[in-house]
Amino acid sequence: MATSPDMLAEIATAPASLAGPSGVLPRQDIRKLVHRGMVRSTSGAFSESQYQPASIDLRLGHKAYRVRASFLPGPNKSVAQMLADLTQDEVSLEEGAILEKNCVYVVELMESLHDLPATISAFANPKSSTGRLDVFTRLIADRSEAFDSVAGGYSGKLYAEISPSSFSIKVRKGSRLNQLRFRRRSSGQEEAEGFRVSDRELREVHRQTALVDGPATIRNGLLFSIHLGDAEGEIIGYQAQRFTDVIDVDRVSGYEIDDFWTPIPAKRGRLILDPHQFYILASKERIYIPPAFAAEMAPIDPAMGEFRVHYAGFFDPGFGVGAGGVPGSRGVLEVRSHEVPFLLEDGQVVGRLAFERMATEPDALYGAIGTSNYQGQALKLSKHFRS
């Protein structure tokens, strides 16, 4: 890839060292990775709006490969080698194209990694708007044995696996469906361990700065529960309709809710999930993520119910700050039951937040940048729908 003159100038003036405390890298440190050419783009340039407080948005490249099945390349193969065997069709994204629901696509991303330091690894997750559209998106790297994870020292291309579930979507070159985070570890830390805040530490954080707008239930992370209504008839969620039009992922506030979703009114504080149907619901708790931390929705114990409550569950530093600094945003939950109908009752624990320390606080928090679409949210669909 040819490096633009502007990028060469940035690299020449970049800080000499990437050393620092362990933890999730803030956006000013992600800029250092870009400036030093460790994160590159096929376009040679990055948009300012790609930089989130603790991650960078990834952009789709020019072509989608429709494949027979999801895959991991394993330690001895590249993604390109796997695509040569599994591709059924190639779709140009230059002018935009429709990705059909219940099909699997792989798209090479515009961003790639080059000589990532051995002490810095990368982790991906879908953007919030992607999860709320029920689009299953995962990152794949060459020679990887796990999705959404890139080991320290990696050099190579990055790919997005995309599988729309409820709605067919229209995407194009430059569309953003997932984002990449970076963790810096110390010499004594394992690559994927040692970052999560312990329950003891989390209780102390909550004592100093409230993480929820009530008592905090902390057990292997911060537990949260489901909100199913304070009054009969209150809209407590939405169920995806089965036969709808296509959604353009780059079209903000372009669609009527009733054309894609069925509102769910509160009924005696309970809701029975239909198997394989997709719901948008909200947490009972209002949440706040202090500037020195990031958080991620972690899988709940399967013994508590065979359902999933998140597809895009990363919370940036500063998410949820309300008036006077109190927790002000509910967690919006993307919910799907598995094989059997499942009864939820108001206040039932459905998930947990795992907290990680930032290496340093970001130079801009969630809510202070133009792409903070969900600050102060209650029950809220993705940004594509008119309020």
Side-chain angles (χ1 to χ4, degrees):
M1 181 196 79
T3 305
S4 68
D6 288 344
M7 195 172 190
L8 286 171
E10 289 178 338
I11 294 171
T13 58
S17 175
L18 288 167
S22 64
V24 179
L25 296 189
R27 69 181 204 154
Q28 63 266 30
D29 282 357
I30 296 174
R31 290 182 194 275
K32 293 178 185 179
L33 296 176
V34 171
H35 293 165
R36 291 174 64 88
M38 295 174 178
V39 182
R40 300 181 189 176
S41 168
T42 55
S43 70
F46 289 79
S47 167
E48 175 62 24
S49 63
Q50 286 181 259
Y51 293 100
Q52 306 302 321
S55 64
I56 187 169
D57 289 350
L58 302 175
R59 299 170 293 182
L60 300 184
H62 70 284
K63 184 186 296 185
Y65 301 88
R66 180 172 169 174
V67 294
R68 288 185 286 140
S70 175
F71 65 85
L72 281 168
N76 300 314
K77 289 186 178 181
S78 68
V79 176
Q81 288 173 309
M82 297 295 294
L83 289 173
D85 179 49
L86 294 173
T87 296
Q88 294 179 314
D89 193 17
E90 298 182 10
V91 182
S92 173
L93 302 184
E94 292 286 355
E95 302 299 326
I98 294 173
L99 305 186
E100 300 285 352
K101 65 180 181 179
N102 300 321
C103 296
V104 181
Y105 302 85
V106 174
V107 180
E108 182 182 334
L109 297 166
M110 294 173 65
E111 287 72 34
S112 57
L113 300 178
H114 297 265
D115 297 321
L116 196 66
T119 55
I120 296 179
S121 52
F123 299 82
N125 59 278
K127 291 177 63 63
S128 293
S129 297
T130 306
R132 295 184 202 199
L133 290 180
D134 197 18
V135 178
F136 194 53
T137 303
R138 300 187 288 192
L139 186 84
I140 316 175
D142 291 337
R143 300 173 300 281
S144 60
E145 298 181 278
F147 292 108
D148 289 333
S149 179
V150 184
Y154 180 79
S155 286
K157 298 177 179 179
L158 300 173
Y159 298 79
E161 176 192 292
I162 306 166
S163 182
S165 294
S166 290
F167 313 113
S168 296
I169 59 173
K170 185 174 184 178
V171 300
R172 57 190 53 78
K173 181 180 178 180
S175 294
R176 307 176 192 181
L177 298 182
N178 59 351
Q179 54 195 171
L180 197 64
R181 296 173 281 145
F182 297 88
R183 292 188 184 115
R184 181 168 52 217
R185 61 186 174 91
S186 65
S187 57
Q189 285 179 300
E190 296 293 332
E191 186 161 296
E193 298 178 357
F195 289 92
R196 289 190 173 176
V197 177
S198 69
D199 286 354
R200 177 184 295 180
E201 293 174 298
L202 201 55
R203 291 188 185 98
E204 181 59 30
V205 172
H206 179 66
R207 277 193 289 269
Q208 296 179 8
T209 305
L211 302 177
V212 293
D213 59 343
T217 302
I218 297 173
R219 188 170 63 250
N220 197 22
L222 177 68
L223 300 186
F224 59 87
S225 59
I226 197 76
H227 176 72
L228 294 180
D230 296 319
E232 292 291 299
E234 173 191 349
I235 300 302
I236 51 88
Y238 295 91
Q239 181 176 344
Q241 297 176 16
R242 294 181 61 193
F243 306 105
T244 69
D245 203 350
V246 173
I247 295 177
D248 187 328
V249 300
D250 297 320
R251 186 179 174 191
V252 178
S253 299
Y255 301 97
E256 298 294 338
I257 292 174
D258 290 347
D259 291 336
F260 295 85
W261 300 93
T262 300
I264 304 171
K267 189 175 181 180
R268 298 192 299 277
R270 52 173 46 187
L271 174 66
I272 296 178
L273 303 176
D274 288 340
H276 309 300
Q277 297 301 301
F278 183 72
Y279 301 83
I280 296 293
L281 302 170
S283 70
K284 183 167 285 291
E285 298 81 6
R286 295 185 181 274
I287 298 166
Y288 172 54
I289 312 300
F293 299 88
E296 184 174 17
M297 285 192 190
I300 196 67
D301 185 346
M304 297 176 67
E306 287 297 326
F307 60 93
R308 181 173 178 172
V309 298
H310 67 94
Y311 289 82
F314 180 65
F315 291 81
D316 274 306
F319 173 85
V321 64
V326 301
S329 298
R330 296 188 191 273
V332 168
L333 312 175
E334 302 117 16
V335 180
R336 184 186 296 279
S337 185
H338 294 320
E339 299 302 325
V340 297
F342 189 81
L343 172 67
L344 289 177
E345 298 195 86
D346 186 57
Q348 181 173 338
V349 172
V350 294
R352 60 189 175 92
L353 286 179
F355 282 72
E356 296 186 35
R357 291 190 182 276
M358 298 294 298
T360 55
E361 292 186 14
D363 58 11
L365 298 175
Y366 192 87
I369 56 177
T371 53
S372 303
N373 294 298
Y374 304 112
Q375 189 72 302
Q377 69 183 4
L379 174 67
K380 186 176 177 62
L381 295 170
S382 71
K383 63 185 180 182
H384 308 93
F385 299 97
R386 301 186 184 100
S387 301

